[in-house]
Amino acid sequence: MLKQGMIVSVKETGEFGLISSEINGEGFEIYNLADKLTNEFSEKFNFEIKHGHLNRLLYLDTRVKTNISRENITPFAQINNADFEKIMRLDILSKVENYYELFHSERNKEFDPESTQVSYGGRVYDEKEMRSLVDSSLDFWLTAGRYNKQFEKEYAEFLGVRYALLTNSGSSANLLAFSALTSPKLKDRQIKPGDEVITVAAGFPTTVTPIVQNGAIPVFIDVELGTYNIIVDRIEAAITPKTKAIMVAHTMGNPFELDKVMEIAAKYNLWVVEDNCDALGSKFNGKLTGTHGHIGTSSFYPPHHMTMGEGGAVYTNNALLKSIIESFRDWGRDCWCPSGCDNTCNKRFGWELGSLPYGYDHKYTYSHIGYNLRVTEMQAAIGVEQLKKVPTFTQARKDNFKRLFEGLKDLGEHFILPRATENSDPSWFGFMLTVQDGAKFTKNEIVEYLEANRIQTRMLFAGNLTRQPAFQNVNYRISGDLKNTDKIMHDTFLVGVYPGLTKEKIDYVVSKIRSFVLDKK
C-alpha cells in the first residue's frame, strides 16, 4: 500500500523518491532522492535518507518535488516516523522562508520622502525569526519549553551573568525585580511597606510603579540635561534610615554613573536595580549595563534593542535572588521544577513549610504572593534568533546616532544635544533633543512639523511622573527640586535611531530639523 513517508522506485527511470502527499487519489507528490546534491548541503532544506534496504546514502531537497501517477511507482521501503516528521517540518519551514521573501522582505522597498514614514522604532527581522516561530508552533508546547531554556542560557552568557529568567514584558521584569526585594527570605534587607527607594521622575512609569505597588515610597531626584540620567551627587542627601534601594533606568540607552551609584549603595547597604530596558548592549567602564547592580531587567517590546513582540528578562548573579524572582514569576510557588517536570529536589513529599502538614506536595506550596508572568515558547523562539543579531543592531544604533549628531551638532544654539555619560559606550535607544530656553520655537511646534512630514517623534516617556494623573494620590518624596525634569516635560522630544533606519531616512530627518530651525531665524 502506497502511503506518505514511503520510499518508492520510479518505474521509468529506476530512481528513488519519497512520497510527500497524495494528489486527488490519482497520484502522489514525491520528493526526489538523489545520489548527490547539486548545491552545498543546507540543514534548512536538505535531509539525508538512510535505510537498511538502500545500499547507499540518498539526499532529499524539500524544494525539489515531482508529481507522479500511482501506476508509475513501486513501493520500496518505509522510513521511520521520526525522520518523516523532520522532513515534513523542513518542508514547512522552507515554505515559510519563501513566504518571507515574497511578503516580508524589505530589500526592494525604497525610501520615498513624499510617502514613507520614518518610524522612531520597530521590528527588524528576517526569515530566521519566522522559521523559528513556526518551528516552535509545530511542537505545540505553547508554554515555556526548549526555546525558553535555550534563550535563558544564551542570554545569560551574552550578558556575562549567572542567571537570566524570561518574563512576559519589560514592565513585568521590573515588577519581578522589585518584588523579589520584598521577600522575607532576605531577612533584614527585605524591603517593607514605608521603606524608601531612590529613583527619578523623568522616565517610563513602570520603573517606578513596582515601588508604589509594593507599598514602598519613591524618592525622586532630578536628572541632568544632555545625559538625562540621575544626578548622582544628589543621592546621598536623599538617603534616610528608611532608604533600602536605588532603582533607576539607563535613559535612552545612556548609562548612568554606575561606579558612583554602586559606591554609594555599598556604603549604605542598598540594593541596586538597573532598568536596562532601553540599553541592551550599552557598556559602562567596558562592562555591559544591567550587570553592575544586584538585578537587571530587559524589555523585548518591538521598539527595543531586540524583540519577541512582547517579553522581558530579569537577571542576576545572586542565587537567592534568582530563586525568589522565579518564585514571584511562577505563581509564588516554592517549587523550582520546570513545567512538565516533577521532583527535581528528590523530596517532593518530604517538606514541612508554613503550617502545612508534613509531606504536602511541594509543587503546590507557595512562599510568596506571586504572579503568573511567564513567557510563551513562541516568544522565546523569536528571541533566540533576535539575540544573535544584537551586536549588529547595537552598531547600527551607534552609527545612526552618530549620523544624526554630525548633521545637527551646529544647532547647539537651539537645542541641548544628547551626550554620552563619561566612561560609557551607549547603545542608543533614541536621539534626544531639548529646545533651549529663548529659542524662537517651541517643542510642540517642531514636533508637529516633523510629524506632518512623516517623522515619528516621542517624548521622554512620562515627562515628569509627579505631574501625571496616576501619581496625584501616590505617597512619594522629592529630594531637592525637579527643575530639569520639568524642563524635559516641556521641551524634550526624540527621534529614532533603530536599525531599520537607512542613511537616506536619517539624512531626511536631519534635513527636516535643519530646515525648520533655520526658517525660524
PDB file of all heavy atoms in Angstrom, residues 204-233:
ATOM      1  N   PHE A 204      10.071  56.207  32.201  1.00  0.00           N
ATOM      2  CA  PHE A 204       8.895  55.378  31.948  1.00  0.00           C
ATOM      3  C   PHE A 204       8.270  54.990  33.279  1.00  0.00           C
ATOM      4  O   PHE A 204       8.974  54.681  34.237  1.00  0.00           O
ATOM      5  CB  PHE A 204       9.304  54.132  31.158  1.00  0.00           C
ATOM      6  CG  PHE A 204       8.160  53.493  30.432  1.00  0.00           C
ATOM      7  CD1 PHE A 204       7.689  54.043  29.260  1.00  0.00           C
ATOM      8  CD2 PHE A 204       7.547  52.351  30.929  1.00  0.00           C
ATOM      9  CE1 PHE A 204       6.617  53.462  28.580  1.00  0.00           C
ATOM     10  CE2 PHE A 204       6.493  51.756  30.262  1.00  0.00           C
ATOM     11  CZ  PHE A 204       6.019  52.315  29.081  1.00  0.00           C
ATOM     12  N   PRO A 205       6.935  54.979  33.377  1.00  0.00           N
ATOM     13  CA  PRO A 205       6.303  54.767  34.678  1.00  0.00           C
ATOM     14  C   PRO A 205       6.626  53.440  35.340  1.00  0.00           C
ATOM     15  O   PRO A 205       6.715  53.365  36.578  1.00  0.00           O
ATOM     16  CB  PRO A 205       4.800  54.886  34.377  1.00  0.00           C
ATOM     17  CG  PRO A 205       4.663  54.787  32.908  1.00  0.00           C
ATOM     18  CD  PRO A 205       5.944  55.290  32.328  1.00  0.00           C
ATOM     19  N   THR A 206       6.809  52.369  34.553  1.00  0.00           N
ATOM     20  CA  THR A 206       6.975  51.068  35.194  1.00  0.00           C
ATOM     21  C   THR A 206       8.372  50.839  35.769  1.00  0.00           C
ATOM     22  O   THR A 206       8.658  49.753  36.266  1.00  0.00           O
ATOM     23  CB  THR A 206       6.602  49.924  34.231  1.00  0.00           C
ATOM     24  OG1 THR A 206       7.335  50.050  33.016  1.00  0.00           O
ATOM     25  CG2 THR A 206       5.116  49.942  33.943  1.00  0.00           C
ATOM     26  N   THR A 207       9.231  51.843  35.710  1.00  0.00           N
ATOM     27  CA  THR A 207      10.436  51.804  36.539  1.00  0.00           C
ATOM     28  C   THR A 207      10.069  52.124  37.983  1.00  0.00           C
ATOM     29  O   THR A 207      10.722  51.654  38.921  1.00  0.00           O
ATOM     30  CB  THR A 207      11.486  52.819  36.047  1.00  0.00           C
ATOM     31  OG1 THR A 207      11.703  52.640  34.657  1.00  0.00           O
ATOM     32  CG2 THR A 207      12.813  52.659  36.790  1.00  0.00           C
ATOM     33  N   VAL A 208       9.017  52.907  38.156  1.00  0.00           N
ATOM     34  CA  VAL A 208       8.631  53.415  39.478  1.00  0.00           C
ATOM     35  C   VAL A 208       7.411  52.712  40.052  1.00  0.00           C
ATOM     36  O   VAL A 208       7.324  52.487  41.268  1.00  0.00           O
ATOM     37  CB  VAL A 208       8.370  54.943  39.399  1.00  0.00           C
ATOM     38  CG1 VAL A 208       7.888  55.493  40.731  1.00  0.00           C
ATOM     39  CG2 VAL A 208       9.630  55.673  38.935  1.00  0.00           C
ATOM     40  N   THR A 209       6.461  52.338  39.207  1.00  0.00           N
ATOM     41  CA  THR A 209       5.211  51.778  39.738  1.00  0.00           C
ATOM     42  C   THR A 209       5.391  50.523  40.592  1.00  0.00           C
ATOM     43  O   THR A 209       4.627  50.331  41.550  1.00  0.00           O
ATOM     44  CB  THR A 209       4.207  51.501  38.600  1.00  0.00           C
ATOM     45  OG1 THR A 209       4.853  50.776  37.537  1.00  0.00           O
ATOM     46  CG2 THR A 209       3.656  52.798  38.041  1.00  0.00           C
ATOM     47  N   PRO A 210       6.383  49.632  40.326  1.00  0.00           N
ATOM     48  CA  PRO A 210       6.548  48.499  41.243  1.00  0.00           C
ATOM     49  C   PRO A 210       6.875  48.935  42.674  1.00  0.00           C
ATOM     50  O   PRO A 210       6.509  48.224  43.625  1.00  0.00           O
ATOM     51  CB  PRO A 210       7.723  47.723  40.627  1.00  0.00           C
ATOM     52  CG  PRO A 210       7.694  48.077  39.187  1.00  0.00           C
ATOM     53  CD  PRO A 210       7.274  49.510  39.147  1.00  0.00           C
ATOM     54  N   ILE A 211       7.555  50.057  42.819  1.00  0.00           N
ATOM     55  CA  ILE A 211       7.845  50.586  44.156  1.00  0.00           C
ATOM     56  C   ILE A 211       6.533  50.902  44.856  1.00  0.00           C
ATOM     57  O   ILE A 211       6.294  50.507  46.010  1.00  0.00           O
ATOM     58  CB  ILE A 211       8.721  51.854  44.053  1.00  0.00           C
ATOM     59  CG1 ILE A 211      10.038  51.538  43.331  1.00  0.00           C
ATOM     60  CG2 ILE A 211       8.984  52.450  45.439  1.00  0.00           C
ATOM     61  CD1 ILE A 211      10.852  52.782  42.949  1.00  0.00           C
ATOM     62  N   VAL A 212       5.645  51.608  44.143  1.00  0.00           N
ATOM     63  CA  VAL A 212       4.350  52.003  44.701  1.00  0.00           C
ATOM     64  C   VAL A 212       3.477  50.777  44.942  1.00  0.00           C
ATOM     65  O   VAL A 212       2.826  50.654  45.995  1.00  0.00           O
ATOM     66  CB  VAL A 212       3.642  52.988  43.747  1.00  0.00           C
ATOM     67  CG1 VAL A 212       2.269  53.366  44.270  1.00  0.00           C
ATOM     68  CG2 VAL A 212       4.501  54.226  43.510  1.00  0.00           C
ATOM     69  N   GLN A 213       3.448  49.860  43.984  1.00  0.00           N
ATOM     70  CA  GLN A 213       2.594  48.678  44.095  1.00  0.00           C
ATOM     71  C   GLN A 213       2.980  47.797  45.270  1.00  0.00           C
ATOM     72  O   GLN A 213       2.139  47.048  45.784  1.00  0.00           O
ATOM     73  CB  GLN A 213       2.651  47.890  42.781  1.00  0.00           C
ATOM     74  CG  GLN A 213       1.942  48.595  41.637  1.00  0.00           C
ATOM     75  CD  GLN A 213       2.389  48.128  40.264  1.00  0.00           C
ATOM     76  OE1 GLN A 213       3.473  47.566  40.109  1.00  0.00           O
ATOM     77  NE2 GLN A 213       1.561  48.370  39.252  1.00  0.00           N
ATOM     78  N   ASN A 214       4.212  47.876  45.711  1.00  0.00           N
ATOM     79  CA  ASN A 214       4.664  47.094  46.865  1.00  0.00           C
ATOM     80  C   ASN A 214       4.647  47.891  48.159  1.00  0.00           C
ATOM     81  O   ASN A 214       5.175  47.424  49.174  1.00  0.00           O
ATOM     82  CB  ASN A 214       6.069  46.542  46.602  1.00  0.00           C
ATOM     83  CG  ASN A 214       6.052  45.297  45.726  1.00  0.00           C
ATOM     84  OD1 ASN A 214       5.753  44.200  46.198  1.00  0.00           O
ATOM     85  ND2 ASN A 214       6.340  45.464  44.447  1.00  0.00           N
ATOM     86  N   GLY A 215       4.058  49.093  48.120  1.00  0.00           N
ATOM     87  CA  GLY A 215       3.875  49.860  49.355  1.00  0.00           C
ATOM     88  C   GLY A 215       5.078  50.655  49.801  1.00  0.00           C
ATOM     89  O   GLY A 215       5.063  51.251  50.883  1.00  0.00           O
ATOM     90  N   ALA A 216       6.138  50.680  48.983  1.00  0.00           N
ATOM     91  CA  ALA A 216       7.314  51.488  49.322  1.00  0.00           C
ATOM     92  C   ALA A 216       7.120  52.908  48.793  1.00  0.00           C
ATOM     93  O   ALA A 216       6.173  53.200  48.059  1.00  0.00           O
ATOM     94  CB  ALA A 216       8.577  50.856  48.762  1.00  0.00           C
ATOM     95  N   ILE A 217       8.027  53.791  49.143  1.00  0.00           N
ATOM     96  CA  ILE A 217       7.891  55.212  48.806  1.00  0.00           C
ATOM     97  C   ILE A 217       9.000  55.622  47.841  1.00  0.00           C
ATOM     98  O   ILE A 217      10.189  55.567  48.188  1.00  0.00           O
ATOM     99  CB  ILE A 217       7.966  56.083  50.073  1.00  0.00           C
ATOM    100  CG1 ILE A 217       6.827  55.705  51.022  1.00  0.00           C
ATOM    101  CG2 ILE A 217       7.896  57.571  49.710  1.00  0.00           C
ATOM    102  CD1 ILE A 217       6.946  56.330  52.391  1.00  0.00           C
ATOM    103  N   PRO A 218       8.642  56.024  46.616  1.00  0.00           N
ATOM    104  CA  PRO A 218       9.661  56.523  45.697  1.00  0.00           C
ATOM    105  C   PRO A 218      10.176  57.885  46.142  1.00  0.00           C
ATOM    106  O   PRO A 218       9.392  58.748  46.547  1.00  0.00           O
ATOM    107  CB  PRO A 218       8.935  56.611  44.355  1.00  0.00           C
ATOM    108  CG  PRO A 218       7.489  56.648  44.676  1.00  0.00           C
ATOM    109  CD  PRO A 218       7.303  55.992  46.000  1.00  0.00           C
ATOM    110  N   VAL A 219      11.479  58.055  46.094  1.00  0.00           N
ATOM    111  CA  VAL A 219      12.116  59.343  46.406  1.00  0.00           C
ATOM    112  C   VAL A 219      12.735  59.843  45.109  1.00  0.00           C
ATOM    113  O   VAL A 219      13.683  59.252  44.595  1.00  0.00           O
ATOM    114  CB  VAL A 219      13.179  59.195  47.504  1.00  0.00           C
ATOM    115  CG1 VAL A 219      13.870  60.535  47.760  1.00  0.00           C
ATOM    116  CG2 VAL A 219      12.552  58.654  48.785  1.00  0.00           C
ATOM    117  N   PHE A 220      12.189  60.927  44.574  1.00  0.00           N
ATOM    118  CA  PHE A 220      12.592  61.404  43.259  1.00  0.00           C
ATOM    119  C   PHE A 220      13.748  62.387  43.341  1.00  0.00           C
ATOM    120  O   PHE A 220      13.731  63.325  44.149  1.00  0.00           O
ATOM    121  CB  PHE A 220      11.410  62.068  42.560  1.00  0.00           C
ATOM    122  CG  PHE A 220      10.299  61.122  42.213  1.00  0.00           C
ATOM    123  CD1 PHE A 220       9.043  61.264  42.787  1.00  0.00           C
ATOM    124  CD2 PHE A 220      10.508  60.075  41.325  1.00  0.00           C
ATOM    125  CE1 PHE A 220       8.014  60.398  42.467  1.00  0.00           C
ATOM    126  CE2 PHE A 220       9.486  59.195  41.002  1.00  0.00           C
ATOM    127  CZ  PHE A 220       8.229  59.357  41.574  1.00  0.00           C
ATOM    128  N   ILE A 221      14.740  62.154  42.461  1.00  0.00           N
ATOM    129  CA  ILE A 221      15.894  63.031  42.323  1.00  0.00           C
ATOM    130  C   ILE A 221      15.908  63.550  40.895  1.00  0.00           C
ATOM    131  O   ILE A 221      15.526  62.842  39.956  1.00  0.00           O
ATOM    132  CB  ILE A 221      17.200  62.274  42.655  1.00  0.00           C
ATOM    133  CG1 ILE A 221      17.223  61.919  44.150  1.00  0.00           C
ATOM    134  CG2 ILE A 221      18.431  63.092  42.285  1.00  0.00           C
ATOM    135  CD1 ILE A 221      18.416  61.101  44.562  1.00  0.00           C
ATOM    136  N   ASP A 222      16.355  64.761  40.707  1.00  0.00           N
ATOM    137  CA  ASP A 222      16.372  65.368  39.381  1.00  0.00           C
ATOM    138  C   ASP A 222      17.431  64.709  38.496  1.00  0.00           C
ATOM    139  O   ASP A 222      18.331  64.000  38.977  1.00  0.00           O
ATOM    140  CB  ASP A 222      16.643  66.869  39.501  1.00  0.00           C
ATOM    141  CG  ASP A 222      16.040  67.671  38.345  1.00  0.00           C
ATOM    142  OD1 ASP A 222      15.341  67.067  37.505  1.00  0.00           O
ATOM    143  OD2 ASP A 222      16.260  68.894  38.301  1.00  0.00           O
ATOM    144  N   VAL A 223      17.303  64.947  37.204  1.00  0.00           N
ATOM    145  CA  VAL A 223      18.232  64.390  36.223  1.00  0.00           C
ATOM    146  C   VAL A 223      19.018  65.507  35.554  1.00  0.00           C
ATOM    147  O   VAL A 223      18.658  66.680  35.621  1.00  0.00           O
ATOM    148  CB  VAL A 223      17.488  63.560  35.157  1.00  0.00           C
ATOM    149  CG1 VAL A 223      16.778  62.378  35.792  1.00  0.00           C
ATOM    150  CG2 VAL A 223      16.517  64.420  34.368  1.00  0.00           C
ATOM    151  N   GLU A 224      20.069  65.095  34.884  1.00  0.00           N
ATOM    152  CA  GLU A 224      20.958  66.032  34.197  1.00  0.00           C
ATOM    153  C   GLU A 224      20.495  66.208  32.751  1.00  0.00           C
ATOM    154  O   GLU A 224      20.191  65.230  32.061  1.00  0.00           O
ATOM    155  CB  GLU A 224      22.378  65.460  34.225  1.00  0.00           C
ATOM    156  CG  GLU A 224      23.433  66.343  33.605  1.00  0.00           C
ATOM    157  CD  GLU A 224      24.802  65.685  33.641  1.00  0.00           C
ATOM    158  OE1 GLU A 224      24.876  64.443  33.536  1.00  0.00           O
ATOM    159  OE2 GLU A 224      25.800  66.416  33.763  1.00  0.00           O
ATOM    160  N   LEU A 225      20.422  67.426  32.293  1.00  0.00           N
ATOM    161  CA  LEU A 225      20.103  67.674  30.892  1.00  0.00           C
ATOM    162  C   LEU A 225      21.290  67.252  30.021  1.00  0.00           C
ATOM    163  O   LEU A 225      22.442  67.481  30.387  1.00  0.00           O
ATOM    164  CB  LEU A 225      19.769  69.148  30.666  1.00  0.00           C
ATOM    165  CG  LEU A 225      18.526  69.672  31.385  1.00  0.00           C
ATOM    166  CD1 LEU A 225      18.370  71.178  31.170  1.00  0.00           C
ATOM    167  CD2 LEU A 225      17.268  68.947  30.907  1.00  0.00           C
ATOM    168  N   GLY A 226      20.993  66.669  28.894  1.00  0.00           N
ATOM    169  CA  GLY A 226      22.056  66.202  27.995  1.00  0.00           C
ATOM    170  C   GLY A 226      22.273  64.707  28.117  1.00  0.00           C
ATOM    171  O   GLY A 226      22.209  63.978  27.122  1.00  0.00           O
ATOM    172  N   THR A 227      22.525  64.219  29.349  1.00  0.00           N
ATOM    173  CA  THR A 227      22.610  62.766  29.560  1.00  0.00           C
ATOM    174  C   THR A 227      21.260  62.203  29.969  1.00  0.00           C
ATOM    175  O   THR A 227      20.989  61.026  29.759  1.00  0.00           O
ATOM    176  CB  THR A 227      23.631  62.392  30.652  1.00  0.00           C
ATOM    177  OG1 THR A 227      23.165  62.860  31.924  1.00  0.00           O
ATOM    178  CG2 THR A 227      25.000  62.989  30.357  1.00  0.00           C
ATOM    179  N   TYR A 228      20.428  63.024  30.604  1.00  0.00           N
ATOM    180  CA  TYR A 228      19.076  62.673  31.047  1.00  0.00           C
ATOM    181  C   TYR A 228      19.075  61.587  32.115  1.00  0.00           C
ATOM    182  O   TYR A 228      18.076  60.903  32.328  1.00  0.00           O
ATOM    183  CB  TYR A 228      18.197  62.293  29.841  1.00  0.00           C
ATOM    184  CG  TYR A 228      18.152  63.411  28.831  1.00  0.00           C
ATOM    185  CD1 TYR A 228      19.001  63.408  27.717  1.00  0.00           C
ATOM    186  CD2 TYR A 228      17.325  64.511  29.032  1.00  0.00           C
ATOM    187  CE1 TYR A 228      19.000  64.461  26.813  1.00  0.00           C
ATOM    188  CE2 TYR A 228      17.321  65.569  28.133  1.00  0.00           C
ATOM    189  CZ  TYR A 228      18.160  65.545  27.024  1.00  0.00           C
ATOM    190  OH  TYR A 228      18.156  66.599  26.154  1.00  0.00           O
ATOM    191  N   ASN A 229      20.202  61.458  32.815  1.00  0.00           N
ATOM    192  CA  ASN A 229      20.333  60.472  33.880  1.00  0.00           C
ATOM    193  C   ASN A 229      20.352  61.140  35.251  1.00  0.00           C
ATOM    194  O   ASN A 229      20.588  62.344  35.374  1.00  0.00           O
ATOM    195  CB  ASN A 229      21.616  59.647  33.682  1.00  0.00           C
ATOM    196  CG  ASN A 229      21.432  58.550  32.655  1.00  0.00           C
ATOM    197  OD1 ASN A 229      20.421  57.856  32.644  1.00  0.00           O
ATOM    198  ND2 ASN A 229      22.414  58.392  31.773  1.00  0.00           N
ATOM    199  N   ILE A 230      20.133  60.326  36.276  1.00  0.00           N
ATOM    200  CA  ILE A 230      20.080  60.792  37.649  1.00  0.00           C
ATOM    201  C   ILE A 230      21.337  61.584  38.009  1.00  0.00           C
ATOM    202  O   ILE A 230      22.452  61.225  37.634  1.00  0.00           O
ATOM    203  CB  ILE A 230      19.888  59.598  38.618  1.00  0.00           C
ATOM    204  CG1 ILE A 230      19.642  60.089  40.044  1.00  0.00           C
ATOM    205  CG2 ILE A 230      21.057  58.627  38.535  1.00  0.00           C
ATOM    206  CD1 ILE A 230      19.194  58.977  40.991  1.00  0.00           C
ATOM    207  N   ILE A 231      21.161  62.708  38.720  1.00  0.00           N
ATOM    208  CA  ILE A 231      22.295  63.500  39.215  1.00  0.00           C
ATOM    209  C   ILE A 231      22.816  62.785  40.455  1.00  0.00           C
ATOM    210  O   ILE A 231      22.248  62.896  41.553  1.00  0.00           O
ATOM    211  CB  ILE A 231      21.865  64.943  39.541  1.00  0.00           C
ATOM    212  CG1 ILE A 231      21.281  65.616  38.293  1.00  0.00           C
ATOM    213  CG2 ILE A 231      23.053  65.739  40.075  1.00  0.00           C
ATOM    214  CD1 ILE A 231      20.698  67.005  38.545  1.00  0.00           C
ATOM    215  N   VAL A 232      23.888  62.043  40.280  1.00  0.00           N
ATOM    216  CA  VAL A 232      24.351  61.156  41.350  1.00  0.00           C
ATOM    217  C   VAL A 232      24.843  61.924  42.573  1.00  0.00           C
ATOM    218  O   VAL A 232      24.785  61.408  43.704  1.00  0.00           O
ATOM    219  CB  VAL A 232      25.458  60.199  40.846  1.00  0.00           C
ATOM    220  CG1 VAL A 232      24.901  59.224  39.835  1.00  0.00           C
ATOM    221  CG2 VAL A 232      26.617  60.969  40.259  1.00  0.00           C
ATOM    222  N   ASP A 233      25.292  63.145  42.379  1.00  0.00           N
ATOM    223  CA  ASP A 233      25.777  63.927  43.514  1.00  0.00           C
ATOM    224  C   ASP A 233      24.669  64.304  44.486  1.00  0.00           C
ATOM    225  O   ASP A 233      24.946  64.786  45.585  1.00  0.00           O
ATOM    226  CB  ASP A 233      26.473  65.202  43.017  1.00  0.00           C
ATOM    227  CG  ASP A 233      27.772  64.904  42.277  1.00  0.00           C
ATOM    228  OD1 ASP A 233      28.296  63.782  42.447  1.00  0.00           O
ATOM    229  OD2 ASP A 233      28.251  65.772  41.518  1.00  0.00           O
TER     230      ASP A 233
END
